[in-house]
Amino acid sequence: MNLPKFLAVSVMGLLAAFPAGAFGEGFKFLPYMGPQIEASRYSPANEEFAWVGWIGATFDLVEKGKWSGYFNPDVETILGHRVRSFEAVQVNYSLEVGLHRDVGRGRMSPFFHHVSRHVQDRNKLQVVDWNFLGVRYDSPWPASWSRRGAFSSSFGVATLASAVEYKWEARASGDIDLLRKGNRALFLLADVRHVGAAATADFPRNQLTDFRAELGFRHWQETSQSALFLAYEHRNDALVPRALVTDRALFGLRIRGQRRPSPAIVPLP
């Protein structure tokens, strides 16, 4: 499905899924938009993996009481030096549409998540993409902890998986301020993603686990946060046309808008 058609279908689906009477008094249209930007350097670096950048946004499309419909588009660009000293070698975009429902301090979110992966400057002979239909729960840490940050967990089943043959995905993530002074903090972040899959000739595995651990310094503001971080990432299926497992450190910068505390994770696609 091409991007314009996906967007149209997603928005119409969200509006159709809203509870009866949602468009009466108190209904809000596009109440929030928050950007998301990240740039980091791989270590060790090579011709396929030197830099990685994320750019995207979170849009609350509609809101009524405890319900809201959202749309998250993100683009990951991996830079290397196959031909030139500084070039994009891989681009992966992800699109997610879903509903938020406030549940106590937390939030339950049924979602539809689509990922499409592309090798730059090459004909796309093999389609590599997938869709997950699932549900996520995220929440700030308990108030009694007196710690800023949040956690999230999700589970989804694949409705489409081209080439990689993913079947389901379970994920958990969280971040927490270890030391804090005013709006500045030293934080710790962790993200674990486990995927069930069917083995193929190009991807000879039936399950995989990605994880990321991160330590950094961040500055909180009312509707945003910025961070400098050092991370370690274990990532499967790092190449588009075939399986590759990578283990690398990352040094980077992140800026993101936020409407409420939530894990500062840039999703591994």
Side-chain angles (χ1 to χ4, degrees), residues 30-36 56-61 71 73 223 257-259:
L30 290 177
Y32 174 77
M33 179 182 71
Q36 176 173 282
T58 296
F59 299 89
D60 282 359
L61 302 175
F71 174 58
T223 59
Q258 60 181 29
R259 189 171 185 179

Side-chain angles (χ1 to χ4, degrees), residues 14-268:
L14 271 176
L15 298 180
F18 247 66
F23 296 94
E25 184 179 354
F27 167 73
K28 298 178 182 178
F29 178 64
L30 290 177
Y32 174 77
M33 179 182 71
Q36 176 173 282
I37 301 171
E38 178 176 315
S40 54
R41 170 73 171 177
Y42 285 112
S43 180
N46 58 31
E47 65 176 15
E48 294 287 346
F49 302 94
W51 297 83
V52 59
W54 279 87
I55 185 169
T58 296
F59 299 89
D60 282 359
L61 302 175
V62 287
E63 181 181 311
K64 169 68 174 181
K66 294 184 177 182
W67 291 91
S68 60
Y70 72 92
F71 174 58
N72 293 353
D74 292 289
V75 178
E76 177 196 39
T77 303
I78 296 175
L79 305 175
H81 46 85
R82 289 185 311 204
V83 179
R84 296 178 294 274
S85 58
F86 193 76
E87 63 172 333
V89 297
Q90 186 182 144
V91 173
N92 310 306
Y93 72 79
S94 63
L95 306 169
E96 183 171 302
V97 62
L99 292 171
H100 293 315
R101 173 63 162 86
D102 291 342
V103 181
R105 285 174 53 84
R107 179 175 60 186
M108 192 70 69
S109 305
F111 65 84
F112 177 79
H113 186 81
H114 170 75
V115 175
S116 181
R117 305 189 67 189
H118 304 261
V119 178
Q120 288 297 94
D121 301 326
R122 301 288 189 275
N123 291 328
K124 189 173 183 179
L125 303 176
Q126 179 185 27
V127 176
V128 180
D129 58 12
W130 61 88
N131 300 333
F132 282 120
L133 183 64
V135 63
R136 177 184 303 108
Y137 178 78
D138 66 88
S139 173
W141 297 110
S144 59
W145 287 24
S146 300
R147 298 282 184 176
R148 195 161 188 175
F151 66 92
S152 174
S153 60
S154 66
F155 182 82
V157 294
T159 61
L160 168 73
S162 303
V164 291
E165 299 299 328
Y166 294 158
K167 300 300 181 184
W168 54 269
E169 176 193 73
R171 186 166 184 166
S173 59
D175 63 353
I176 190 168
D177 286 353
L178 301 176
L179 299 172
R180 182 179 174 188
K181 184 175 182 180
N183 288 331
R184 295 173 174 82
L186 179 71
F187 73 93
L188 179 67
L189 176 153
D191 182 33
V192 180
R193 171 179 178 256
H194 186 75
V195 179
T200 67
D202 291 328
F203 296 91
R205 75 286 179 272
N206 54 24
Q207 61 180 353
L208 58 94
T209 301
D210 294 329
F211 64 85
R212 175 168 173 155
E214 187 174 304
L215 182 68
F217 171 82
R218 64 182 168 193
H219 179 213
W220 293 90
Q221 299 187 66
E222 185 177 354
T223 59
S224 66
Q225 61 169 283
S226 57
L228 296 171
F229 62 84
L230 167 63
Y232 176 83
E233 182 179 279
H234 175 83
R235 187 163 177 176
N236 293 266
D237 297 350
L239 292 177
V240 174
R242 66 182 188 277
L244 176 69
V245 179
T246 63
D247 291 276
R248 286 184 170 87
L250 298 98
F251 306 86
L253 164 71
R254 178 187 304 114
I255 301 172
R256 68 190 295 263
Q258 60 181 29
R259 189 171 185 179
R260 54 175 289 160
S262 58
I265 298 288
V266 174
L268 296 167

